[in-house]
Amino acid sequence: MTEKRDINKMSYEERMDELNEILTLLDDSETPIDRLAADTKRGVALINSLKADLKAVEIEVKNAFADLDTPDKVSEGDEGN
């Protein structure tokens, strides 16, 4: 596995790639137990980070759609037009 980078400085795609790499290693029965423990901890940290990003995007999307449901305010000069 590559050197561990700061999760907060990684893109979503980079974190997903690393998580997939960890999952592959966890499936390998020949991976040393010490590495399994460290990889599991890293995987949990990656999952939590990815979930936080997804939650933030979900809120942004809901807010964007809420803006669509808000009636446009008519400016004072445009009321009769």
Side-chain angles (χ1 to χ4, degrees):
M1 184 178 298
T2 59
E3 182 179 319
K4 304 286 189 264
R5 292 180 45 207
D6 182 351
I7 289 173
N8 296 320
K9 295 181 180 178
M10 296 170 69
S11 71
Y12 187 89
E13 291 76 17
E14 289 170 327
R15 288 176 282 155
M16 280 298 298
D17 289 344
E18 184 175 342
L19 180 59
N20 284 324
E21 188 176 334
I22 289 170
L23 291 173
T24 299
L25 289 171
L26 292 176
D27 283 340
D28 183 0
S29 61
E30 296 186 23
T31 303
I33 193 74
D34 293 336
R35 180 158 185 188
L36 286 175
D39 285 347
T40 299
K41 289 178 186 177
R42 177 71 173 185
V44 167
L46 288 164
I47 290 168
N48 287 332
S49 175
L50 292 165
K51 282 174 56 176
D53 280 5
L54 289 173
K55 186 65 176 174
V57 169
E58 178 185 20
I59 290 168
E60 286 182 39
V61 169
K62 283 182 180 180
N63 289 339
F65 279 103
D67 289 345
L68 291 176
D69 292 337
T70 304
D72 291 336
K73 293 182 180 178
V74 178
S75 51
E76 291 180 26
D78 294 338
E79 288 178 8
N81 296 335

